[in-house]
Amino acid sequence: MKSITLSLLLTLYSTILSQLILSPPITLSFSTNLIPPPFPPSPLLPLTHHPHTVLSSVSASTSPSRIVFGGSFERAIADPNSVLPVRVIQYDYKTDSFSALMNAPSNFSGSINSVFRSPDTGAVFLGGSFTSPSPSLRYLAVIPNGGNTFQTVPAVACCINTIVDAKNGDGSIIIGGTFPSINGAVRLAQYKHSTTTFSSIGSASFNNDVNALAWMGSDTLFVGGAFTASASHANAGKLVRYIRSTNQWLPVAQNDVSGTAVHALVSSGSTVFIGGSFSLTSDAGATNLAVYFNGTDYMRRVGGTGGPNGVVHALELDGKDLYVGGAFTTVQSGLLASPYLARYDTQTQTFYALANQSTSLVSSTVYTIKTRGDLLFVGGAIKSSNYFALFNKASGQWITSKQTLVPNNNILDSVWINDQSIAMVGQFEMSTSSLLSDKLLSVDETGQSFVTVDSVTRNNAVQTLSGYDDTSFVVGGKFTLSNANYIYRRSSTGAKPVSGTWNTDVTCSVLDRNHNELWVGGAFTSKVQGINTTSGNSLSILPNGIPSNVNAISISRSSAGNRILSIGHGTGLVQFDLTGYQFVEPRITNGLTTSINAAVTDSISGGKDVWIGGQFSSVESTAAAYITVYDTAVDGYLDQSGAAFNGIGWTATKYDGRIYLGGEFTNANGNTYNDYMVTYVPSGNTIGQVVVSNSAAHISKSAFSKPVRHAQVFDGVLYVAGEEMKAGANPDAGNERFAYLNSTTGNWEYPCAANLSSSHINTFVVIGRIAYLASITEPNELSSCHLDTGVYTILAATAGDILSMVQDAQNANQLWIASRTSPFLTRYLIGSNSINPLPLNDRPNGAVTNILFVGNDLYACGSFTNIGSVAGLNYLAKWNNGWSSVVAGSAPNNVLGKDTISNSGMSLLGTSRLIISGSFTSAGGNANRRYVAEIDVNGNTYTNRFLNNDPSISPGPSVAIDKVVAFASDNVILMFSSSNSFTAGQKPTANVALLNATSQRVQPLPVTGGPSGTVHALAQNGNSLYIGGSFTTASSGSHVIRYNIDSKTYSAIKAGSTDNTVFALFVDTNSDVWIGGDFTTLLGKQSVNRIGRFDGNQVHAVAFGVDNTVRAIGRFNVSAITNVNVVADPPKARCIPVDSTQAPFCSGVVNANAGYRVSSFLGQPEADEKAKRATQTGTSVCPNCNDATKALFCHRYLPKCVDESQTRVQPCRSECVKYATTCDLAATDACVLYPDGGSCQTGIVASQPSCALGTSPLADPNRDLFVSGRFYNVGEGINIQHFSCMDKSTKKWWSSPRTQLNGLVNTILWDGANGFWLGGAFTASNTINNLNRIVHYDYALDKFTPLGNGISNGEVLNIKRKDNELFISGTFNVQLGRRGMTKWDLDLKIFRNADKFARIDRPDVRDFAWTKDNV
């Protein structure tokens, strides 16, 4: 049925396509191919790309091309000569701009603590510890209304903390502070500016600081501070009051305030609110905030509970609301988290946090709060919002500013100057001419100044820039925007989203212009994502993923011409073949186990090789166990960490395109069936199993049952020998110690098995059809076996413990035999079955481990130190009718081979290179030639291969190598050791290396002179590779240097140091090198702040630089770099309403906003006609379609229409699940329009909420019955937990796969729109955590939304709504200390409580109701 269904579906699609004349933006078909196809083969075109930044070199556009750079900076640095230490500034929030206060120039130093504007004269007064170049302008200053200069006042001593109006109507002020005396007034005085005179207030004199002043009416002045006594009161506490009418000082509430100090006062009617660092003597629980009632001279805590848990610095009354600011993090004895800022309702006596804490801009201590209309100004030490922020009380939204105060310091006080400007004072400095930007700037045509790129507000760093097409480029990083998180495309019309799934940082990108592909890397889920820059569609995600976050990405060509994506990540490097759509062999990762930060394709190699940089100090660091492999093509060791042999290797030979490895191991490459023999393919560095055709279970059983000691090919036949090694599932306990592989049958044959005794065969030679077998422990060590007849013959006695045999190169009737016992080397005559011993003077004095012929010369190695009368032939010699040294006077200093392993100690590579191995630590007089070495037998000299001190070639292994076997045709040398853990080929490199495309191997760069620390950036210009990073000890320079690819040497770019990390490098078309990072000195030139240019001779600063890190640089063609907004793509189509009479098939099913996506030039008739044809086709194919099927079909072909959107709104996945569920229950022709439920996992449908439900049959309060409880299954056995709905017309149960709750649902309340509130015992759904006992469910979006942090214990039993509040009851006992009852403010999105709730003495409220009087 499913295949028929799919066929009918495809028929329907093709019918629709053939009947409709579609404009380009319309597409009714969609792919049924669920697996991304491989990328098609591509021609060998040159790549026009750069790893991080791409120059649009091929362009028909005449657009200007400019350098663009991004990072974590926020502004361009201003001319240092224009930066003034003003300590006071005026801010216009409507234009988001700074200016001098009332246009008065200033040059203050120190701190301005208080600012006040006279309501009588409009003059602005400043008080603090500030000074200025003018001796008379310090501690107190004034700007008259309409003036534009600061005026001096009579000299005052330091310092002033607070200023208020004197309430005289003449512009006089009262100042409080730390000043010792002004006309006899100590720390409190009155100043009349019209007469420039000071006077005392009631003979005031305080013994410590006055911090705060506030009037109650015009007769009572409250004074707070750190004092404990005044002239009139020996025990004044921290707060006193002055009665003007009686000229009398009085205590406040019997000096109830004790502690450190009062910092803030504000009055309303007959009450005064006090903030500071104190407690009340009468109420120790009242901390830092209190209220005083003047009529009763009584003071108490605010809000009925304890105060803030930190110092209160600022108070502001706005009607019934008291705003509190300071260094606290909670209020109400810790019951309400409201860091640094809170609102207190003086009528309900309840504290509230401002807006959602996650969106608050207040992140540190608040020192000043001022309100005006709907605006609340907050200033202080809050670095996260440039030390000040504005809050719109009506909308509940914070208003962000792009302005910055420098250096980082505090705002201490503020005052509104007019309806849109506020004066701020403090300890800050401010730049009057810096250029604002949000992490992205451009350099103008002169290269000497900056231009803003756009008006996008990026809330975090830009980390990568890359070309996109001829007129746009891509910006990626850590930022989130309203319509494009982490990455967007910048064009002349704005910032547009980039297709893909971007759920966190984008760190790198590269453009392949020839294939219209952009590849992006980062920390997002897939780590790598491709985008087709022509269609804008996402490309297939790489299979199996990347192991860690991607930091670098580059595109190159393999030697076969395939496009290769090189991906540097946090733990190494991988390569992906875009042509074959697969990862290439992992041999490229050898030694690169730390972060790869930069990758750039080499231009000299024709785009094949890749330069990589990062945090590695060696490459090809190969761990090996018993066996390792050396690649002679590039002189490096292959990674054997995956081979993991668990036993000694004995032998290797080449057969049928593969190398057969034999030995004592029972496990290789993690496969327990790889017993004693495996195959090895050098080109892929892969281990394989030896297949046994005559085994009853040939795939699951290893080839041999005992160790293999020797394998060799004679006349195209593979022979093996060893112990009792019969292949197959059930080996006999016989003497099968010698075998050959029958190429015809694929079976192993065992000639002479019945005659072989209990010992093992150590080595052999096959001549014709006779095999000559040598045992290491037999009394008669040499025997023969006729391969055809099976005749077994014991031959003449020879030397014991035979290790190697070879047929004489000049006498075919003679075998040379080497052994570990005397006479160590002899000859066997085949025809006469006799021994032809060497003369005594030609016999070695120690074991001979291997012998081989090179031409007519016999080479022998072992543990001997001389041969007969010839001394000095240590461990290695050659015979040609007499003995001689191989390299005169340069023998190894220790044994070659091992006398327990046959044919060990040497092997011939090709025709003239002799590879020797053993326990020697010096050969040819060179101590860096150890364990393995190479001899050119033609020149009788050692080569430099394997030298330990030459990292460009390759150092040798870390332990003795017992045996080597060379295979010239495969460019490999196999090395066997008795050690189960050793390393081979640890090549030091200076954090930079070259990935060779031909060998797929990583080649190191020289260490000497190279970067000794992390490399962050690479850029190439011809034979120069520029290297940038955090290194400081490179002999050629710090942080940025140059590497000559031809001479393989490093050099300084220019004399002079760079003082901090380089993160970005870009070579321009004129060969200028642009450099970005964290430096302020570049190549010896100072005041180059984070971006500079090197023209080949000189370093150039760009203006005065920027204020933070530069991480990406590129040159891009754009039609105009101007201020543009973040917008979607310009509309290429528009929504045309569909007349329901033209769509009878979808009548009553599609949503109210259904429309047809048509081109903008089409009118209503065309839209109606296309809808009519499509729905008529649906009716003809499926006349009896049920509602679920209709909904899925109609939401696909008559989608929800969104103006100015090029993306059609897909049906929701829940609709597909509904369809699949229905059709599984009733597989009839009512379900023919869509395939089975598997489609719900593909791109045919979208996940909520960006999808269309409308009035689909999924949930309708007018039609459906909603139920809740403790059930787990309903209806037909569908997994539906705790709440669901039933379609009353079809009697079918439905639930979304996103709505499975983990606990009981006790109550449901409909919201009157698209959802309902649920209450119960649940804490999470199958898709969302922290749904603590109360949640809102929107059925149109199929989405849960928690109510704040929910309720953390008990159960919710009932929910009822009254106006804009939800009243909630249950068995909880946590919400703000209330038991059994609380309420949720639907407007403010916070829990609120009436005081009366506190009187409920048990956490168990089952139900409640309102009376007719709303009680």
Side-chain angles (χ1 to χ4, degrees):
M1 174 63 194
K2 292 181 178 180
S3 61
I4 296 174
T5 319
L6 181 57
S7 175
L8 287 171
L9 173 63
L10 296 175
T11 301
L12 172 62
Y13 294 161
S14 58
T15 302
I16 295 173
L17 287 172
S18 62
Q19 290 187 3
L20 301 182
I21 302 174
L22 301 178
S23 55
I26 306 175
T27 287
L28 296 186
S29 62
F30 60 91
S31 174
T32 59
N33 184 4
L34 307 185
I35 300 175
F39 289 89
S42 55
L44 285 174
L45 297 177
L47 297 171
T48 58
H49 77 282
H50 187 279
H52 300 294
T53 53
V54 178
L55 173 64
S56 303
S57 57
V58 181
S59 174
S61 170
T62 58
S63 307
S65 175
R66 290 181 181 165
I67 291 290
V68 178
F69 63 97
S72 54
F73 54 85
E74 296 181 354
R75 63 194 303 124
I77 296 175
D79 182 346
N81 295 323
S82 70
V83 177
L84 301 177
V86 294
R87 292 338 190 251
V88 56
I89 201 70
Q90 185 167 312
Y91 174 70
D92 187 319
Y93 80 89
K94 290 186 177 180
T95 61
D96 190 23
S97 61
F98 282 140
S99 61
L101 177 60
M102 299 174 72
N103 297 315
S106 61
N107 193 6
F108 296 118
S109 58
S111 173
I112 299 178
N113 302 329
S114 182
V115 58
F116 171 76
R117 190 172 198 194
S118 170
D120 302 324
T121 65
V124 177
F125 293 87
L126 307 178
S129 60
F130 63 88
T131 61
S132 75
S134 172
S136 60
L137 192 60
R138 56 180 59 194
Y139 313 133
L140 182 65
V142 61
I143 305 176
N145 189 29
N148 58 7
T149 58
F150 286 95
Q151 295 182 350
T152 61
V153 298
V156 296
C158 187
C159 300
I160 296 172
N161 294 333
T162 181
I163 306 174
V164 297
D165 187 25
K167 300 283 187 180
N168 292 333
D170 59 0
S172 297
I173 60 172
I174 297 175
I175 60 174
T178 63
F179 50 86
S181 176
I182 303 177
N183 289 343
V186 179
R187 297 184 174 86
L188 184 72
Q190 179 172 295
Y191 172 69
K192 185 175 182 179
H193 186 60
S194 61
T195 60
T196 64
T197 56
F198 287 95
S199 59
S200 173
I201 302 174
S203 301
S205 177
F206 294 89
N207 69 347
N208 210 329
D209 297 0
V210 171
N211 298 327
L213 303 169
W215 284 98
M216 179 180 289
S218 59
D219 191 49
T220 303
L221 176 69
F222 285 80
V223 181
F227 52 82
T228 57
S230 68
S232 57
H233 291 82
N235 183 17
K238 306 297 178 184
L239 182 66
V240 294
R241 50 182 170 153
Y242 172 71
I243 311 301
R244 174 184 285 176
S245 59
T246 62
N247 192 28
Q248 182 181 16
W249 286 95
L250 298 175
V252 175
Q254 291 78 47
N255 303 319
D256 202 8
V257 178
S258 64
T260 303
V262 169
H263 293 292
L265 296 168
V266 65
S267 68
S268 175
S270 61
T271 60
V272 176
F273 291 94
I274 306 105
S277 177
F278 60 82
S279 62
L280 298 183
T281 304
S282 62
D283 182 0
T287 56
N288 305 324
L289 184 64
V291 59
Y292 171 74
F293 300 94
N294 190 53
T296 58
D297 193 26
Y298 167 70
M299 192 176 297
R300 69 169 176 82
R301 65 180 66 184
V302 172
T305 61
N309 67 344
V311 181
V312 172
H313 288 288
L315 297 171
E316 175 82 347
L317 266 172
D318 182 29
K320 66 181 180 63
D321 291 327
L322 173 70
Y323 291 94
V324 184
F328 53 85
T329 56
T330 65
V331 294
Q332 253 180 304
S333 297
L335 295 177
L336 178 63
S338 187
Y340 314 112
L341 182 65
R343 177 175 66 90
Y344 176 71
D345 189 318
T346 59
Q347 293 182 359
T348 64
Q349 300 181 21
T350 306
F351 275 101
Y352 300 97
L354 263 69
N356 189 323
Q357 290 299 320
S358 63
T359 64
S360 175
L361 297 180
V362 179
S363 61
S364 191
T365 304
V366 169
Y367 290 111
T368 179
I369 306 171
K370 292 294 187 294
T371 62
R372 194 177 188 94
D374 287 334
L375 290 179
L376 179 76
F377 175 87
V378 181
I382 43 180
K383 293 183 180 181
S384 60
S385 61
N386 298 332
Y387 304 94
F388 70 96
L390 286 139
F391 181 72
N392 189 309
K393 295 176 289 184
S395 66
Q397 300 296 315
W398 289 95
I399 303 170
T400 59
S401 169
K402 292 183 179 179
Q403 298 297 331
T404 305
L405 301 174
V406 293
N408 298 337
N409 226 315
N410 302 334
I411 295 172
L412 300 178
D413 198 11
S414 57
V415 64
W416 286 97
I417 301 299
N418 51 49
D419 286 340
Q420 67 184 61
S421 295
I422 190 168
M424 297 180 279
V425 298
Q427 299 154 312
F428 55 84
E429 294 182 3
M430 181 265 171
S431 170
T432 60
S433 61
S434 59
L435 177 67
L436 296 175
S437 73
D438 266 312
K439 290 85 179 173
L440 192 66
L441 278 174
S442 172
V443 181
D444 73 357
E445 291 84 349
T446 69
Q448 296 301 309
S449 62
F450 296 122
V451 180
T452 55
V453 175
D454 53 34
S455 59
V456 175
T457 300
R458 287 163 288 270
N459 58 0
N460 214 322
V462 169
Q463 300 183 122
T464 184
L465 298 168
S466 186
Y468 190 88
D469 54 28
D470 289 342
T471 60
S472 63
F473 59 93
V474 165
V475 182
K478 294 175 175 287
F479 52 81
T480 55
L481 306 179
S482 59
N483 70 333
N485 291 342
Y486 308 109
I487 186 170
Y488 69 90
R489 177 163 63 99
R490 166 66 174 86
S491 73
S492 60
T493 57
K496 306 172 184 179
V498 174
S499 177
T501 303
W502 319 108
N503 58 346
T504 188
D505 297 4
V506 168
T507 56
C508 53
S509 54
V510 62
L511 174 70
D512 185 349
R513 184 173 295 282
N514 291 324
H515 292 81
N516 299 319
E517 289 177 8
L518 173 73
W519 288 92
V520 180
F524 47 88
T525 300
S526 63
K527 305 297 189 296
V528 175
Q529 176 69 65
I531 299 97
N532 184 297
T533 58
T534 301
S535 66
N537 295 331
S538 297
L539 299 174
S540 304
I541 297 174
L542 307 187
N544 304 322
I546 309 298
S548 60
N549 296 346
V550 171
N551 306 318
I553 195 165
S554 183
I555 297 178
S556 58
R557 295 283 189 186
S558 69
S559 55
N562 291 4
R563 290 191 306 135
I564 302 295
L565 197 65
S566 296
I567 303 164
H569 54 86
T571 57
L573 179 75
V574 296
Q575 283 194 310
F576 187 79
D577 187 333
L578 292 173
T579 306
Y581 202 71
Q582 61 184 350
F583 284 101
V584 298
E585 276 73 13
R587 61 196 293 184
I588 64 170
T589 64
N590 296 356
L592 300 176
T593 58
T594 53
S595 179
I596 305 298
N597 301 324
V600 57
T601 302
D602 178 54
S603 58
I604 298 176
S605 65
K608 291 184 178 180
D609 299 342
V610 178
W611 297 97
I612 56 176
Q615 205 170 348
F616 50 89
S617 58
S618 66
V619 298
E620 306 292 352
S621 300
T622 306
Y626 301 110
I627 300 174
T628 192
V629 184
Y630 184 84
D631 187 335
T632 62
V634 295
D635 285 311
Y637 290 85
L638 296 181
D639 186 2
Q640 295 300 299
S641 58
F645 289 90
N646 70 342
I648 299 172
W650 281 84
T651 184
T653 191
K654 181 73 174 292
Y655 175 74
D656 194 25
R658 294 176 293 176
I659 293 173
Y660 281 70
L661 284 171
E664 294 184 0
F665 51 83
T666 57
N667 187 311
N669 203 30
N671 191 334
T672 57
Y673 296 120
N674 285 336
D675 288 355
Y676 309 116
M677 178 165 268
V678 296
T679 61
Y680 173 67
V681 180
S683 61
N685 195 31
T686 56
I687 298 293
Q689 187 178 0
V690 175
V691 177
V692 185
S693 297
N694 55 334
S695 168
H698 70 277
I699 296 300
S700 61
K701 188 64 182 176
S702 55
F704 297 102
S705 58
K706 290 292 180 68
V708 172
R709 291 182 173 264
H710 187 54
Q712 195 166 347
V713 174
F714 291 95
D715 297 326
V717 179
L718 174 62
Y719 297 86
V720 296
E723 302 178 26
E724 298 171 5
M725 56 177 197
K726 183 175 181 180
N730 299 296
D732 298 332
N735 299 324
E736 297 85 355
R737 294 171 174 80
F738 175 67
Y740 68 89
L741 186 61
N742 188 319
S743 60
T744 303
T745 64
N747 295 334
W748 290 99
E749 306 290 349
Y750 298 90
C752 304
N755 301 107
L756 297 177
S757 65
S758 59
S759 183
H760 56 260
I761 305 300
N762 209 38
T763 187
F764 56 84
V765 173
V766 177
I767 302 174
R769 301 298 295 163
I770 303 296
Y772 295 87
L773 311 176
S775 170
I776 198 167
T777 58
E778 281 293 291
N780 296 297
E781 284 81 8
L782 187 63
S783 60
S784 67
C785 174
H786 196 290
L787 301 177
D788 296 329
T789 65
V791 174
Y792 178 77
T793 305
I794 296 177
L795 303 179
T798 64
D801 297 342
I802 297 173
L803 295 174
S804 182
M805 295 193 300
V806 64
Q807 189 177 18
D808 196 307
Q810 300 181 69
N811 182 1
N813 195 41
Q814 179 170 270
L815 291 180
W816 286 80
I817 299 174
S819 66
R820 67 180 178 184
T821 59
S822 180
F824 305 117
L825 186 64
T826 189
R827 294 167 293 190
Y828 171 73
L829 298 176
I830 296 174
S832 62
N833 186 28
S834 61
I835 299 299
N836 179 20
L838 289 169
L840 290 176
N841 287 337
D842 289 331
R843 296 180 185 179
N845 69 344
V848 176
T849 57
N850 198 7
I851 50 177
L852 58 84
F853 274 94
V854 181
N856 292 327
D857 294 336
L858 176 73
Y859 285 75
C861 68
S863 60
F864 55 85
T865 55
N866 62 63
I867 299 178
S869 61
V870 182
L873 300 181
N874 296 340
Y875 316 118
L876 179 66
K878 68 177 178 179
W879 165 273
N880 192 335
N881 295 319
W883 291 102
S884 63
S885 62
V886 175
V887 180
S890 299
N893 70 346
N894 212 333
V895 176
L896 298 188
K898 191 169 186 177
D899 64 7
T900 57
I901 299 177
S902 62
N903 304 293
S904 65
M906 63 181 176
S907 182
L908 189 63
L909 177 65
T911 60
S912 62
R913 297 297 172 113
L914 186 69
I915 310 300
I916 62 172
S917 69
S919 56
F920 60 89
T921 56
S922 174
N926 191 333
N928 286 305
R929 194 175 284 127
R930 60 196 328 181
Y931 306 134
V932 62
E934 182 183 69
I935 298 173
D936 182 347
V937 297
N938 290 334
N940 296 322
T941 59
Y942 287 96
T943 71
N944 288 331
R945 181 172 280 167
F946 306 119
L947 286 181
N948 280 0
N949 64 342
D950 188 350
S952 66
I953 296 176
S954 177
S958 60
V959 297
I961 296 298
D962 301 321
K963 181 172 180 175
V964 287
V965 185
F967 297 92
S969 60
D970 295 286
N971 298 316
V972 296
I973 302 170
L974 274 64
M975 300 182 182
F976 300 167
S977 172
S978 301
S979 173
N980 65 354
S981 177
F982 66 94
T983 57
Q986 293 181 339
K987 301 181 184 179
T989 185
N991 299 293
V992 188
L994 177 67
L995 179 59
N996 185 283
T998 301
S999 64
Q1000 297 175 349
R1001 302 293 306 283
V1002 180
Q1003 297 174 271
L1005 269 62
V1007 174
T1008 304
S1012 59
T1014 303
V1015 169
H1016 291 287
L1018 298 170
Q1020 185 183 2
N1021 184 29
N1023 68 345
S1024 292
L1025 180 70
Y1026 293 92
I1027 304 168
S1030 57
F1031 49 88
T1032 58
T1033 56
S1035 61
S1036 51
S1038 59
H1039 298 108
V1040 59
I1041 58 176
R1042 177 166 44 199
Y1043 176 71
N1044 187 294
I1045 297 171
D1046 295 334
S1047 65
K1048 297 184 179 179
T1049 57
Y1050 300 96
S1051 64
I1053 297 176
K1054 184 181 182 298
S1057 64
T1058 301
D1059 65 353
N1060 214 330
T1061 303
V1062 168
F1063 285 107
L1065 292 167
F1066 175 72
V1067 178
D1068 210 348
T1069 52
N1070 60 358
S1071 295
D1072 285 1
V1073 182
W1074 291 82
I1075 305 170
D1078 262 338
F1079 50 82
T1080 56
T1081 297
L1082 177 62
L1083 299 173
K1085 184 177 179 64
Q1086 297 181 349
S1087 300
V1088 183
N1089 293 312
R1090 301 172 184 87
I1091 184 167
R1093 176 175 60 90
F1094 177 66
D1095 65 4
N1097 294 304
Q1098 301 296 322
V1099 174
H1100 302 273
V1102 184
F1104 298 99
V1106 292
D1107 66 347
N1108 213 327
T1109 310
V1110 171
R1111 292 189 175 272
I1113 308 174
R1115 179 176 287 276
F1116 304 106
N1117 287 335
V1118 289
S1119 59
I1121 296 183
T1122 57
N1123 289 337
V1124 294
N1125 295 319
V1126 179
V1127 296
D1129 283 324
K1132 298 179 181 178
R1134 60 191 175 96
C1135 294
I1136 302 296
V1138 174
D1139 188 339
S1140 60
T1141 62
Q1142 301 297 329
F1145 180 76
C1146 297
S1147 179
V1149 175
V1150 297
N1151 61 63
N1153 292 324
Y1156 207 83
R1157 172 74 48 203
V1158 296
S1159 298
S1160 57
F1161 60 83
L1162 292 179
Q1164 188 71 55
E1166 292 90 340
D1168 284 345
E1169 181 61 23
K1170 291 183 179 183
K1172 180 178 180 180
R1173 290 183 183 180
T1175 54
Q1176 285 177 344
T1177 302
T1179 304
S1180 64
V1181 174
C1182 184
N1184 300 315
C1185 280
N1186 60 25
D1187 283 348
T1189 305
K1190 284 184 178 181
L1192 198 56
F1193 175 81
C1194 294
H1195 283 148
R1196 174 70 187 177
Y1197 294 110
L1198 295 179
K1200 179 180 179 180
C1201 195
V1202 181
D1203 281 321
E1204 298 185 354
S1205 172
Q1206 294 189 46
T1207 302
R1208 178 168 42 203
V1209 181
Q1210 299 282 31
C1212 291
R1213 182 165 287 121
S1214 54
E1215 291 187 286
C1216 191
V1217 172
K1218 171 68 174 176
Y1219 162 81
T1221 301
T1222 304
C1223 289
D1224 283 344
L1225 299 174
T1228 67
D1229 63 347
C1231 298
V1232 300
L1233 285 176
Y1234 272 75
D1236 61 23
S1239 302
C1240 302
Q1241 306 305 318
T1242 73
I1244 296 174
V1245 291
S1247 59
Q1248 286 78 1
S1250 57
C1251 57
L1253 276 174
T1255 57
S1256 74
L1258 292 184
D1260 186 343
N1262 298 316
R1263 183 194 65 229
D1264 293 349
L1265 174 67
F1266 287 86
V1267 297
S1268 67
R1270 200 184 293 273
F1271 52 82
Y1272 295 92
N1273 295 285
V1274 297
E1276 294 80 4
I1278 306 168
N1279 183 25
I1280 300 174
Q1281 298 183 17
H1282 306 302
F1283 94 100
S1284 183
C1285 66
M1286 183 182 72
D1287 187 319
K1288 291 183 287 188
S1289 62
T1290 64
K1291 302 298 187 292
K1292 299 290 186 182
W1293 289 96
W1294 168 84
S1295 180
S1296 164
R1298 295 162 55 90
T1299 59
Q1300 312 303 312
L1301 293 170
N1302 68 347
L1304 172 67
V1305 177
N1306 291 321
T1307 182
I1308 299 176
L1309 177 65
W1310 191 255
D1311 67 1
N1314 295 322
F1316 40 83
W1317 291 282
L1318 304 174
F1322 52 84
T1323 58
S1325 73
N1326 58 331
T1327 57
I1328 302 178
N1329 294 323
N1330 301 319
L1331 301 180
N1332 292 325
R1333 296 166 181 81
I1334 186 164
V1335 68
H1336 181 267
Y1337 174 68
D1338 189 320
Y1339 77 82
L1341 300 179
D1342 191 21
K1343 177 183 179 182
F1344 280 127
T1345 302
L1347 271 62
N1349 293 323
I1351 295 174
S1352 61
N1353 63 32
E1355 296 184 20
V1356 171
L1357 301 177
N1358 217 324
I1359 306 172
K1360 294 182 182 180
R1361 180 174 182 174
K1362 185 67 174 177
D1363 300 324
N1364 68 336
E1365 293 180 321
L1366 292 181
F1367 285 77
I1368 305 158
S1369 73
T1371 59
F1372 48 84
N1373 185 19
V1374 291
Q1375 195 60 47
L1376 300 182
R1378 309 309 190 204
R1379 301 181 182 91
M1381 194 116 186
T1382 187
K1383 58 184 177 180
W1384 173 260
D1385 190 311
L1386 293 171
D1387 296 329
L1388 298 179
K1389 303 295 190 296
I1390 58 174
F1391 284 101
R1392 300 181 62 177
N1393 296 279
D1395 284 345
K1396 300 299 185 289
F1397 286 174
R1399 299 186 180 183
I1400 300 173
D1401 65 350
R1402 289 181 180 274
D1404 191 353
V1405 177
R1406 300 284 170 164
D1407 201 0
F1408 55 92
W1410 280 272
T1411 68
K1412 63 180 179 179
D1413 299 319
N1414 292 325
V1415 177

